[in-house]
Amino acid sequence: MNRRHLLLIAAACTLAPLAAAAHEFKAGDLVIHHPWARAGAQTRPGAGYVVIENHGAAADRLTGAESRIAEMVELHTHVMENGVAKMTQVEAIDVPAGGKAELKPHGFHLMLMGLKQPLAEGDTFPVTLVFERAGKVEVTFVTEAAGATESAH
Ligand SMILES: [Cu+2]
C-alpha cells in the first residue's frame, strides 16, 4: 500500500468496532462500503461481501485480495449450470467509472480459502483489496450472523 492511500484511509475511516455498524473506506476515487463476512466454521471457506463505488472518470477493477486469516482469497461469482447454481472463480471484478461493484450473496464474493480461524459473529478482520488502478487498499471486515443473507447494515 502506498503512503497516499494510507493517509486517505486514515482520514476517511469512520470504523466503529461494532458488528453491523456502518463503515466505509476511501482510496482515491473509490468508496468501499461495509465489508462483511458470514459467520461460519473454520473447516469451510468463508464468504466476504462489500460494495465498491467508483466516483472517478476511469474504470477500475478488483483483481485480488489477501488476508492474514486465510491462506488464499479468491474472487468468485455464481453461475447456473444445468439449473444448479455453482460458484466459479473469476480473474477480476469490474468497478465501472461512475458505477459500482456489488459483492453480495448469490453474486460476486470473496472466498476465504484455508481459514486460520473460525469466522465468529462480531469479529473483525483485515483484508487487503487489490485494484488495478487504486492499488492495495486495506479494509476491515465485520463478521455477521451465519444465517445472514443480506448485511444487517
Ligand atoms: Cu465462492
Side-chain angles (χ1 to χ4, degrees), residues 46-47 75-78 87-88 109-111 113:
L75 307 178
H76 278 193
T77 191
H78 282 90
M87 290 195 294
T88 183
H109 55 276
L110 299 181
M111 199 97 256
M113 316 291 287

Side-chain angles (χ1 to χ4, degrees), residues 39-58:
Q42 186 176 355
T43 50
R44 301 192 56 196
Y49 310 105
V50 63
V51 175
I52 303 155
E53 280 180 1
N54 183 355
H55 294 278

Side-chain angles (χ1 to χ4, degrees), residues 7 26 63 76 78 80 86 102 106 111 132 147:
L7 289 172
K26 290 185 180 147
T63 56
H76 278 193
H78 282 90
M80 292 300 282
K86 279 191 165 179
E102 285 187 89
H106 311 300
M111 199 97 256
E132 209 165 68

